[in-house]
Amino acid sequence: MTDRTSESISWEETRALIAARIPQGVIDRLRPVPAGELRHLRTPLRKLRTELVRELSSGDRGRYSTAYDQLAALQLAGILAAATPAEALEWLTSRRLLDVTWPRPGGGSSSPDHHTVLLTLLAPHRDAAFHRELAGRLAAWLPARGDAARWRITQGLALRSGAEPPTTDGYVIGWLREGRRIGSHHREIGEWLADQGLREPVPHHHSLLSWLRAQPRLAEFTRRVFEVPDAGAEFTDTLSTCGWAESLAVVAAEGLLDRAELIDLCLGRLLRGDRPGNLRGFLRLYAVLALDADEILTRAGDHVRLAADGAPGAAKAAQAALLSVAERLPAELFVELTGAVLARPEKGLATVQLGRVDAALRRDPAGADGLLPAVAVAFTHPLAAVQEQALRLVARHLSHAAPAVAEAVRAAAADLGPALRPEAHRLLEIPAPPAEPQSGAPVAAVRVACAELPAAPAGPLDTAERLSALMADRVPDPGEFEVVLAALVAEHHRDAAALRAALAPLAARRAANPGRFPFIREVGGALGVLLDALTGQAQAPRASLAVLLGMPAFMRTLGVVTAVRVHEAACSAVEAPVPLLLATPTAGDGTIDPAVLLDRLAAYRTAGARPSPADLAQALLRVAPPALPAVRAAAAGLGCELPPDVAPPVPRRFHTQTANMPERLDGVGRGPAPVVRIAPCAPEAAPAPEGVTGLLHAVPDPTEYARFVDVPSTPAIELVQFAWVAPWHPETVAAHGVPGAVFRVDAPGPREPNPLLPRLAEVPGEFGPVCHLLLAYGLTASRADNRTAALDFLLAAGAQGRLRPDLLGGWIAALWRLSAAKPNRVLPVLAEAARTGAGRTTWAVLTAVITELATEPGRRGLADALVLAAECAVAEGIRDALPALDALSAAGAPARVRAESARLAAILTG
């Protein structure tokens, strides 16, 4: 049998091997051949890569599969033919070739075999210099987030050639992850090389600690660990019983690392701060290092800075360390620590520090001059309980302070919350300021003008440019969507050829990158269907429209309305172009001027056109109800079928799902954990009509579990359109928005905030129970930007005189009772509303909350609600009676609730 390994290989033979798709065939034929004898293959291989990548974007499934299956063999051929380490790296890390699957001879595929790739790189004709340079280049390429496969290849090259790759972020992350995997069943790449006869045998490490002791660059890598982003997150979830933090502490104790340097590196990393998951690893290391008193005192300044500016966990650790050596801590550092901790918002840190200050002053009253001004920093603390503790501490020890210090502390008491100021005047003997007259008059309601619609596009080119931006927008503005959609329809009717020419570049980009355009129910995907129709590439828009309207009930949400209208416009463009759209709003709140709509209907009559069903239905929903009879009569004159003349349903009943109620599920089997919620029930009425009107009438079933965990109504791209579907019917719109709001209470949710509440605040309809329930959910959302949106709604509705504080307070209390509303989220937003000028509105909301919860005085957060109510009463000069305070002052209530109730009652009685 002839040995072919020494024969030259032609491009035709190489191309046939690649077309055969089996990577091992390429390796067996090319690996024995020196790269210099393969130089004639380099240019054809690069050209083939370009051709195959182009095939991947063809949009044809068969061509895609054929091209993809050749990529692994192509990559290995490119690696084997590479003349330099730089060229080998380019083949190794080419974006379209990373981690492509390897076809099997008998069919199917497997994950890439990176050990085989390493063995290919270690071909006998490659020298150590080649391997050293490639190892360094690959280490520099490794992404900061890590790349396990390429890290092992890098490590194998380094071990084989004796290279010391640079400690880049990606290389260090790979080193840390390799350490996490050390255990009885994990074999390092060095062991594998020894099995292949490519290096001397190496010991197997059964623990991370054993592995660290054998690391030749331990100190160098350890220093970099404290510089690399997210390295601390790798300190957890080790397979070894002795994790990264514990192992580093042990090798430092053994002298393999400098313990003092390790402590300084850890403190420095904590001082720089990072995301909680990363800092948790460094906090664990700090804890296991267990600094002794001398080590803490030597670094006392660093600990004070960490207590002042560090993340909450780091500040707590620093405070605990300093307080453990408090008797040896210099007085000025204890004062600095006190001021630093009390300037932070965390209650736990503040109460611990105030307790230690109190004990210190009882032992040595002479320290009052230094410590009391630091304690006065707590007068501005966001929590009233901390302010009160600081006030009582100052009152106990103020007599030991010098007159100048005492006067400064009394002056600082002006920063206390309004509810505590009268008590401060009494305890600190401060003269009460003259009372300012309070008008007590309610703020006049103001109708906030809505924003104007964006200007219409100026011609086909401007329309095409704005369409491109709209399709790329993650949360398209409803006004921009409406004017661009209207311009596309009008321009197509006016000059279809000119519009087609303007849209051609965008259509070409869509054809080249079909995967970048979203699903047809989203705005971008629906507009893509319309783009195809306008440029003569229609992909059966009528079929897509049928798919949208035929979706299962739980997917046919209000968000589908916008997509249905766009698909309908695509059908019209192909079948019977219309002169204009009827449903384009005339105002920035989504409404249509009835006179303008009558003119549009007249234009249809002149052109002999028939309105599309969804366009007409949407137009009617945007007209003020009193004007509907005249508009419907004009539309009937066009001979088209009108949607039913039925007002959208307004829910009056609500379903409460508690934690001990099983969820209603279709089928059998164990149900999931209940989603605690209050949601509106659809009114019992005739079956919902078809089309757009039917989508609006189909209020979500409050017992349907899937609606509230991760539902089609959740994406912001759909929620942003809700309010404009039926601007005169916000209660119905809000009912459709409740599932998304429930989802956002506990889940982090999408990156974009919920845009429904800000849009709903602009519409003209009446806000009833459902809108106020939606607002209550917004006030307790997990994301701060969603709570800010709810605050904006509250302020706008209050200024317009459309807010009902009793309703809002009742819903907050109901959700609070279910533990669905978190007081540490709701109360800060209400406090901000009071500071913004809505003090009386906030008071009215809080009185409803307090009244509803008065029968449960132990309810968590109720005392804080009483504090905020007291601040509103003082600030607004309110003297209204609040009967619920009698129950909250009874003997069975918690001590703090009784104290805050008594304080509020004293304020209200003047």
Side-chain angles (χ1 to χ4, degrees):
M1 188 173 187
T2 304
D3 182 7
R4 301 179 61 216
T5 58
S6 60
E7 296 178 8
S8 62
I9 179 169
S10 67
W11 165 243
E12 289 73 16
E13 182 183 356
T14 304
R15 182 67 185 91
L17 286 169
I18 295 171
R21 308 177 303 115
I22 307 303
Q24 193 60 48
V26 173
I27 295 171
D28 293 342
R29 181 67 181 96
L30 298 186
R31 188 173 183 270
V33 183
E37 297 180 19
L38 300 176
R39 66 173 62 90
H40 63 289
L41 301 180
R42 293 167 192 160
T43 299
L45 285 171
R46 286 193 293 271
K47 289 182 178 179
L48 177 59
R49 179 174 61 185
T50 302
E51 293 172 9
L52 294 181
V53 169
R54 188 182 300 117
E55 287 293 286
L56 296 179
S57 302
S58 66
D60 183 278
R61 187 181 296 273
R63 290 165 62 186
Y64 177 95
S65 179
T66 300
Y68 182 85
D69 285 348
Q70 299 179 62
L71 294 180
L74 169 67
Q75 182 185 37
L76 289 165
I79 291 170
L80 288 164
T84 65
E87 192 174 343
L89 175 73
E90 198 273 333
W91 279 102
L92 267 173
T93 60
S94 176
R95 184 179 64 86
R96 296 308 295 264
L97 303 181
L98 277 178
D99 297 320
V100 293
T101 56
W102 286 22
R104 292 173 174 167
S109 61
S110 63
S111 299
D113 186 345
H114 297 294
H115 287 93
T116 300
V117 174
L118 174 58
L119 201 59
T120 300
L121 288 166
L122 296 176
H125 54 79
R126 305 285 197 191
D127 59 18
F130 181 96
H131 296 145
R132 279 194 295 272
E133 182 179 346
L134 180 55
R137 287 177 177 273
L138 195 51
W141 172 87
L142 288 172
R145 65 182 182 278
D147 184 319
R150 259 58 59 179
W151 185 88
R152 294 192 186 96
I153 292 173
T154 305
Q155 187 71 354
L157 291 168
L159 292 173
R160 174 63 175 163
S161 65
E164 291 191 354
T167 54
T168 60
D169 290 358
Y171 194 52
V172 173
I173 288 291
W175 182 75
L176 286 168
R177 290 176 182 170
E178 182 74 1
R180 286 173 54 186
R181 301 178 69 223
I182 294 298
S184 58
H185 301 294
H186 175 64
R187 292 178 59 78
E188 296 179 76
I189 196 68
E191 295 179 72
W192 181 83
L193 287 173
D195 292 344
Q196 305 301 313
L198 297 175
R199 67 171 301 185
E200 294 296 320
V202 294
H204 175 72
H205 297 289
H206 291 272
S207 70
L208 172 59
L209 182 58
S210 168
W211 182 75
L212 281 177
R213 288 171 176 149
Q215 292 299 299
R217 303 170 69 187
L218 176 61
E220 180 184 1
F221 273 89
T222 301
R223 293 187 190 98
R224 285 285 292 130
V225 163
F226 295 93
E227 300 169 352
V228 173
D230 293 334
E234 305 300 329
F235 279 26
T236 57
D237 301 328
T238 58
L239 299 179
S240 174
T241 55
C242 184
W244 264 107
E246 294 80 4
S247 298
L248 287 175
V250 170
V251 295
E254 294 173 349
L256 296 176
L257 289 175
D258 185 325
R259 176 177 167 86
E261 181 185 15
L262 186 61
I263 292 172
D264 291 337
L265 287 169
C266 187
L267 279 174
R269 193 68 187 84
L270 293 173
L271 278 167
R272 289 197 298 276
D274 207 333
R275 63 183 182 85
N278 191 32
L279 286 183
R280 196 174 298 121
F282 295 114
L283 277 171
R284 182 175 174 181
L285 174 60
Y286 178 85
V288 299
L289 284 170
L291 278 63
D292 60 31
D294 291 334
E295 289 171 329
I296 294 171
L297 289 168
T298 301
R299 300 166 178 82
D302 288 339
H303 280 81
V304 170
R305 288 194 294 276
L306 188 57
D309 303 321
K316 182 179 180 180
Q319 181 194 37
L322 290 170
L323 293 181
S324 70
V325 297
E327 294 182 358
R328 297 173 57 187
L329 195 66
E332 61 275 12
L333 279 180
F334 188 63
V335 170
E336 185 180 352
L337 172 66
T338 299
V341 168
L342 296 181
R344 298 178 61 100
E346 295 88 0
K347 179 181 180 180
L349 296 177
T351 54
V352 168
Q353 193 67 29
L354 289 171
R356 293 302 292 266
V357 170
D358 192 24
L361 289 175
R362 289 178 189 275
R363 288 194 308 269
D364 182 14
D369 285 350
L371 284 170
L372 291 186
V375 171
V377 171
F379 291 169
T380 61
H381 199 277
L383 296 177
V386 173
Q387 293 184 19
E388 183 177 6
Q389 185 180 357
L391 173 61
R392 297 191 180 281
L393 188 155
V394 167
R396 277 194 296 272
H397 301 286
L398 192 62
S399 61
H400 300 294
V405 172
E407 193 59 33
V409 172
R410 289 189 178 99
D415 294 327
L416 287 164
L420 286 171
R421 288 174 200 160
E423 194 164 356
H425 295 155
R426 179 178 61 84
L427 292 174
L428 304 185
E429 300 178 353
I430 304 172
E436 296 183 6
Q438 300 284 346
S439 68
V443 178
V446 177
R447 179 72 174 98
V448 179
C450 61
E452 295 183 358
L453 279 175
L461 291 176
D462 189 25
T463 301
E465 183 176 336
R466 288 170 66 173
L467 173 62
S468 176
L470 193 64
M471 294 175 72
D473 198 340
R474 293 184 63 88
V475 185
D477 176 76
E480 180 70 6
F481 163 78
E482 292 290 349
V483 298
V484 170
L485 179 64
L488 288 168
V489 171
E491 293 290 348
H492 179 67
H493 186 266
R494 184 180 302 113
D495 190 341
L499 180 62
R500 186 181 301 112
L503 295 175
L506 179 58
R509 291 200 301 274
R510 170 175 163 81
N513 300 282
R516 293 177 57 191
F517 288 80
F519 183 52
I520 58 171
R521 71 173 281 136
E522 295 183 0
V523 170
L527 288 172
V529 174
L530 177 57
L531 174 64
D532 289 343
L534 296 174
T535 54
Q537 305 174 44
Q539 302 293 326
R542 184 65 65 182
S544 298
L545 180 59
V547 169
L548 283 172
L549 292 174
M551 285 180 173
F554 76 93
M555 294 186 69
R556 281 186 279 115
T557 68
L558 206 58
V560 178
V561 170
T562 302
V564 167
R565 291 177 56 214
V566 177
H567 281 76
E568 191 179 71
C571 295
S572 297
V574 173
E575 299 166 1
V578 294
L580 49 81
L581 288 179
L582 298 174
T584 306
T586 56
D589 56 4
T591 60
I592 298 179
D593 184 337
V596 173
L597 183 52
L598 289 172
D599 290 343
R600 292 173 182 172
L601 291 169
Y604 266 71
R605 186 179 300 106
T606 302
R610 291 174 61 86
S612 301
D615 186 35
L616 177 59
Q618 177 64 94
L620 294 175
L621 286 171
R622 288 175 170 169
V623 173
L628 271 176
V631 174
R632 290 180 66 88
L638 297 177
C640 59
E641 183 178 353
L642 296 178
D645 188 10
V646 180
V650 178
R652 300 299 182 195
R653 296 182 302 107
F654 295 83
H655 169 75
T656 299
Q657 177 75 39
T658 62
N660 56 6
M661 290 173 57
E663 292 282 1
R664 180 179 68 81
L665 294 174
D666 294 330
V668 295
R670 184 177 180 180
V675 175
V676 175
R677 62 186 180 273
I678 299 174
C681 301
E684 296 181 4
E690 298 295 325
V692 167
T693 308
L695 292 171
L696 179 63
H697 283 240
V699 172
D701 183 347
T703 66
E704 191 172 352
Y705 173 78
R707 291 272 192 180
F708 299 90
V709 288
D710 190 4
V711 291
S713 59
T714 296
I717 194 172
E718 296 184 12
L719 284 168
V720 74
Q721 307 287 339
F722 274 27
W724 283 23
V725 171
W728 295 97
H729 307 282
E731 284 288 276
T732 309
V733 171
H736 283 274
V738 165
V742 171
F743 176 68
R744 283 169 167 80
V745 168
D746 290 319
R751 284 180 291 175
E752 301 83 7
N754 187 341
L756 176 55
L757 277 173
R759 294 288 176 184
L760 204 61
E762 299 171 353
V763 302
E766 181 182 353
F767 297 153
V770 188
C771 286
H772 286 80
L773 173 62
L774 186 69
L775 174 57
Y777 272 118
L779 293 172
T780 192
S782 60
R783 286 182 51 145
D785 46 11
N786 284 327
R787 298 196 295 274
T788 300
L791 172 62
D792 292 342
F793 181 100
L794 187 154
L795 295 173
Q800 298 165 13
R802 303 164 70 197
L803 186 75
R804 292 177 55 185
D806 57 326
L807 265 182
L808 178 59
W811 283 129
I812 291 173
L815 295 175
W816 197 328
R817 189 176 286 114
L818 289 172
S819 297
K822 312 293 191 293
N824 62 338
R825 296 178 186 171
V826 175
L827 294 179
V829 183
L830 293 178
E832 183 62 27
R835 286 192 292 271
T836 309
R840 286 190 167 269
T841 298
T842 304
W843 162 260
V845 172
L846 288 168
T847 56
V849 172
I850 293 167
T851 300
E852 289 290 331
L853 298 180
T855 57
E856 304 175 58
R859 180 67 60 179
R860 181 182 177 185
L862 182 55
D864 296 321
L866 289 164
V867 170
L868 181 54
E871 292 179 357
C872 292
V874 171
E876 299 292 331
I878 295 171
R879 299 295 181 265
D880 300 338
L882 186 53
L885 295 180
D886 295 337
L888 296 175
S889 302
R896 185 163 175 245
V897 171
R898 292 200 308 271
E900 299 301 344
S901 298
R903 181 180 290 115
L904 178 55
I907 292 170
L908 294 178
T909 55

